Amino acid sequence: MKSLNTEILSPTETMFLKNDIALTDTLNRNENETIKSKNGFIVGFCLKGKRTFRLNNKLYHIMPNSMIICPSKVIVDSDLINTDLEWRFFIISSKVNDMLSALNASESWDVKQIVEQNPVWQLTEQCMRTFLLYYELIKIHLTELNTYHHKKERLRALLQAFIYDFHQTLLLLIPNIRYEPKQEHHLFPEFLRILSNTYPCKRKIYYYANLLNTTPKYLTYICKRQCGKTASDIINQHMIKDIVTLLHDTRKSIKEISNELDFPNLSFFGTYVKHHLKMSPTAYRNKLLQEAEQITEKNDVVIF
């Protein structure tokens, strides 16, 4: 299992449950740097304060009872962390994310897609109290119950209960999610798990089919049945997300990005990007920079 990316955490105010979950009131911030959850995702609950901010070049609004969900590889610009906003953060590992995805394969795919497009949600007072209670209960078990028997088992039970409540909250917030009570084929969630944990993303279907002991044709059939997309569509979607994330980082050249993502040469990388993003890597990076400047000029906001 991959461990949590602890560089984003403030050590003096963080409680860990080994490599599964971390709780913190604050995140580290370095000047002119961004935060990315590499091996899982971040869930933040806002207790007080209001702010308009930017995430992946889109504007969002935070206020009390807001929940923000930052999946793996989403860019979180760090300036908002040191404002007058009061937060409670859960930093959740890929293992816990797999537990969440396993609840229902096709349903979890829908949830993941919607959350990536809409990372900020407004909770009810009761729902907010529930998650803050989980925060305090897990914190107490981590810090004050060292002499209790079965401490590990109790913490795991709390974590599992948190996962079920978090999952149910997402279903209530997203009204059009379909629910299929039957057990889904194991290939689809396993394919998504391997794809999410593989970096750089492998572009060939047969790579994943070999790991899953199946054929590319059958894997594509399963993907099409579960989410309406082919295996190639899903792979390309993950690859483009990685490309866009790296193009945000102007410290890396286009050639460095091409090499990092294991493209055979710069020409092939340029052709791939142009096919999927309808412009060259350089043109798309310039577009991102222009959009960022326009948002900052028009709204005079802190960047998150």
Side-chain angles (χ1 to χ4, degrees), residues 57-190:
N57 258 18
K58 293 183 180 179
L59 284 177
Y60 298 98
H61 305 283
I62 283 288
M63 62 186 68
N65 296 340
S66 290
M67 174 177 70
I68 181 169
I69 306 172
C70 298
S72 175
K73 302 175 186 177
V74 168
I75 296 175
V76 183
D77 294 306
S78 61
D79 285 344
L80 189 65
I81 302 304
N82 288 350
T83 69
D84 56 354
L85 293 175
E86 183 178 350
W87 291 97
R88 296 293 184 270
F89 289 104
F90 292 78
I91 296 87
I92 299 173
S93 73
S94 57
K95 178 182 177 180
V96 179
N97 191 23
D98 292 343
M99 293 170 63
L100 183 62
S101 298
L103 293 178
N104 187 278
S106 60
E107 173 190 287
S108 295
W109 169 258
D110 289 340
V111 169
K112 181 178 179 181
Q113 297 301 297
I114 294 174
V115 165
E116 287 185 354
Q117 297 172 17
N118 305 276
V120 178
W121 301 85
Q122 199 64 20
L123 303 180
T124 63
E125 291 280 355
Q126 179 179 352
C127 191
M128 189 72 172
R129 286 196 299 270
T130 298
F131 287 119
L132 294 180
L133 181 59
Y134 275 118
Y135 186 95
E136 293 303 324
L137 283 172
I138 294 174
K139 179 179 178 180
I140 289 172
H141 278 68
L142 286 171
T143 59
E144 298 181 7
L145 299 182
N146 294 325
T147 61
Y148 275 45
H149 294 296
H150 310 298
K151 175 180 177 180
K152 179 179 178 181
E153 290 76 10
R154 295 172 70 168
L155 283 168
R156 298 292 180 189
L158 270 175
L159 178 56
Q160 187 173 33
F162 167 78
I163 291 170
Y164 279 118
D165 272 327
F166 181 67
H167 180 258
Q168 181 64 28
T169 298
L170 291 178
L171 296 183
L172 292 175
L173 290 171
I174 307 170
N176 294 325
I177 287 294
R178 64 181 183 273
Y179 177 70
E180 300 177 17
K182 64 181 181 180
Q183 185 176 7
E184 295 295 330
H185 199 289
H186 77 280
L187 278 179
F188 185 65
E190 186 64 11

Side-chain angles (χ1 to χ4, degrees), residues 9-25:
L9 304 177
S10 178
T12 59
E13 301 183 35
T14 301
M15 288 70 64
F16 293 94
L17 176 53
K18 289 194 174 180
N19 286 324
D20 290 341
I21 190 169
L23 309 180
T24 185
D25 296 340

